[in-house]
Amino acid sequence: MRKPTHLMALFTLVPLLSGPALAWVPQLEETTAKNVIDGAYGRRAPVPTFLTMDLGVKDGQFVAGPQAVTAYMGGPACVDGWLAAPTDYTAGSRPAALTISGQADQLFFAAQDARDSFKNLSVKEALGEEYASKRLANGELRIDINVRGLPTEQARNAYLVRMKGKDGKLVAPVRSTYVNDFKQDGETWTGTLVYYFEPLKAGLGAGEKVNLLVKTEADTECAYNVSVDLSKFQ
């Protein structure tokens, strides 16, 4: 699980480390678990276990890339308005960053905690029942969305987030929640929404690019498509 402080600080695409081809790991197995644990203990370079996309705007383009966000509904004017005035929230709040992670990221934090407690975490222990409650369910993908410019804290409930399945159908998250970081910033609110999806059940592969559809609380026709590359982390 990516901690809130990381969300606020890592508004860039995570650089890839040299090594074997990456792909999101829906269910941890021994090789991945060992690589993640060894990285947490400093025995090897850390394995990329999450991807953060910076949806901030610089020089008229999204920091994450010119095609990071496209219009799903409402036409190009919706994205053009976002790019032209990214901090003007009169037309609604803006997603500031997305962080995508799975079981490997949770294991990384568990291994860090074990190391900081002067304990050794073995692969067998990490994959055993003791740590089962600290892992996402098999096949689940976690998406944290940091949002800025909400008119009220209540308005966070109006966000709609879906994943586009292989057959084109819109897939709802299996559950959603919030990080305890919502705060008032001037006249608006900022904080992090959390959504859990099951991409494999929607026919999406663990190393594919998937389309995440986001509609903010604004009473407009605008909805956005964010392209997320599951091959950038494990």
Side-chain angles (χ1 to χ4, degrees):
M1 179 181 68
R2 199 63 9 209
K3 295 182 179 178
T5 53
H6 287 77
L7 280 171
M8 304 305 291
L10 292 172
F11 284 172
T12 57
L13 283 175
V14 178
L16 297 183
L17 302 177
S18 59
L22 295 174
W24 161 58
V25 178
Q27 181 176 354
L28 282 171
E29 33 65 42
E30 290 187 3
T31 299
T32 302
K34 177 172 175 51
N35 288 338
V36 171
I37 293 170
D38 284 350
Y41 276 82
R43 301 177 189 126
R44 57 154 290 156
V47 175
T49 58
F50 69 98
L51 173 68
T52 295
M53 298 180 65
D54 184 348
L55 300 184
V57 175
K58 183 178 181 181
D59 299 328
Q61 296 291 341
F62 291 106
V63 175
Q67 294 300 312
V69 181
T70 55
Y72 178 69
M73 294 174 56
C78 294
V79 176
D80 292 344
W82 184 345
L83 292 173
T87 59
D88 179 3
Y89 304 124
T90 57
S93 64
R94 302 295 189 197
L98 272 68
T99 298
I100 307 96
S101 62
Q103 287 187 351
D105 198 48
Q106 294 181 316
L107 173 57
F108 180 81
F109 281 111
Q112 273 195 331
D113 288 342
R115 182 191 182 190
D116 292 345
S117 299
F118 221 68
K119 298 177 181 177
N120 188 62
L121 178 63
S122 69
V123 171
K124 183 177 180 180
E125 289 172 326
L127 297 179
E129 289 300 319
E130 180 182 353
Y131 281 86
S133 62
K134 300 180 182 181
R135 294 194 298 269
L136 291 176
N138 293 338
E140 281 193 358
L141 186 71
R142 172 174 172 150
I143 299 179
D144 291 43
I145 305 179
N146 182 259
V147 299
R148 295 177 179 175
L150 286 165
T152 64
E153 189 175 22
Q154 171 70 29
R156 65 189 182 183
N157 297 309
Y159 257 69
L160 284 176
V161 179
R162 297 291 186 267
M163 191 170 283
K164 196 172 184 180
K166 203 71 170 179
D167 57 3
K169 292 182 179 179
L170 303 190
V171 179
V174 292
R175 65 186 187 282
S176 60
T177 185
Y178 316 106
V179 173
N180 187 28
D181 65 347
F182 274 86
K183 62 182 180 180
Q184 195 163 10
D185 184 12
E187 296 183 356
T188 62
W189 286 77
T190 182
T192 306
L193 309 172
V194 184
Y195 301 89
Y196 299 88
F197 287 92
E198 295 178 326
L200 302 184
K201 291 185 178 180
L204 301 169
E208 293 187 31
K209 289 184 178 180
V210 302
N211 295 309
L212 190 71
L213 310 177
V214 180
K215 195 174 191 309
T216 73
E217 85 294 340
D219 185 13
T220 70
E221 293 299 315
C222 293
Y224 307 96
N225 180 89
V226 183
S227 180
V228 176
D229 192 345
L230 301 184
S231 72
K232 299 295 186 181
F233 66 100
Q234 291 194 324

